[in-house]
Amino acid sequence: MKNMLIGDQWVSASDGRTLSVVSPSDGRAFDEIPRGTAQDVDRAVQAARTSLTGAWGQLNASERGRIMMRIAQKVLDHEEELAQIEAKDTGKPMTTARNDIKVLARYFEFYAGGADKLHGETIPFLNGHQVSLLREPLGVTAHIIPWNYPAQMLGRTLAPALAMGNGTVLKPAEDTSLSAIRFAELALEAGLPAGALNIVTGLGEEVGAALSGHPGIDFISFTGSNEVGTLIQQAAAKNAVKCVLELGGKSPQIVFDDVDVERAVPIIVRAIVQNAGQTCTAGSRLLVQRSIYDSFVAKVAEAFAKVRVGTPEMDLDCGPVMNPAQHQRVQRYIDQAREQGIPVLAEGQIAADAPATGHFVKPTLFGPVPRTAALACEEVFGPVLAAMPFEDEADAIALANGTEYGLLAAVWTENAGRLHRVAKSVKAGQVFMNCYGAGGGVELPFGGTKRSGHGREKGFLALEEVSTTKTLVHYHG
Ligand code: ADP
């Protein structure tokens, strides 16, 4: 049984209720977390507010940075332990979990260094006046994160907020709260003052709704589904607070006929298979120029058929999907595509000794997928890749931009002019050229356009999102 962190207290839910923690690998409950309440959220927001005038608020920027660097070191010192926790909670392969913990540490390192480097500016104004811009924290920041990359997500959202001196309240996903709880213990050991970080575990419609609608918060960062993203934005509107939303994606891999095939194929397969496709930035659409469509897709199919799925300990290409609801959802997309007669080009394999009670799905490559099919437009959030042919550059751009989403895209061609033309025309927050992948790039501003959300995380732009300015106008004569 775990507790959650409010101020400097490790507490159970105000009404004592709990939620089971279930392993995606075998469907068995192995721990419990508090099922937080609106009252717990209220106390956490108050603790965060109090921290702003307490020990945390009195630190200068470089002192905050030093504590954050110590947190990063603590995470690295406990990498294996945290990776074990993460793998058990999410089902992901141990290698992936270890990488996620390294990325968590990297977020704290990067923003530790950034804490004292977002300078204000001076502005030329009327004679006799000196104008300067002061950079300030927003106040109490709320952070609601999903279950796909629990450790990475908490690093991504909390590190910039702490670097800027905010008091934070984190609501981890109900399926995956364990790494956040252990992380918070380590952060306190590293010297993070009480109240700077509060964690309230529990259900989205209870803790998440209470937190996003709380009148005492100044900012919401949310990563998750479009449906909940809309609710978050409505809650933010009621309190007139800013929100950063990272929602879904249906990211295209745009492959032209002069692609470097040997380089592209393994990266394209990995971009949809990693984390069992439960990645907002998964490259879930494979758009290939018609002249090489058959030969290129055959190569992808060959590699796809070698994908192996298993438990964290088996450490294969990917693990199970998160929970029964996600299992059914992904399987439904696969079954419907088959019923519609969309050809299956390749399937990965589930390890023979993977527990029958685990949430395993076979990675599947479909193609050619009709442009109007659900698989061509909707986010599956599973290891399912939709291949589609296109005619020329203009058609590729139209097809790439033909969904409601705009998170990531990749362009594959050896023609530099085409590479840049297409990259500039594609609607996405990040475009990769002859490469793919955002997960580890903590330095790279990241976020969506269209229904993939708004606001930026990662890089220095994240520091601007979680801070504000005050313009000081001084008449000196
Ligand atoms: P997913 O489909 O990946 O589970 P969700 O958007 O449902 O995505 O969940 C992402 C996060 O949002 C989780 O922490 C979840 O608990 C939280 N959440 C779910 N419903 C709400 C809600 N009504 N208000 C605020 N947060 C919510």
Side-chain angles (χ1 to χ4, degrees), residues 144-147 171-174 204-205 208-209 222-225 228 231-232:
I144 300 177
I145 59 174
W147 41 252
K171 186 224 150 328
E174 43 271 51
E205 54 273 34
F222 171 79
T223 300
S225 62
V228 179
L231 296 176
I232 297 288

Side-chain angles (χ1 to χ4, degrees), residues 173-187:
E174 43 271 51
D175 284 316
T176 57
S177 297
L178 300 183
S179 56
I181 291 170
R182 182 65 185 124
F183 167 82
E185 288 172 355
L186 296 172

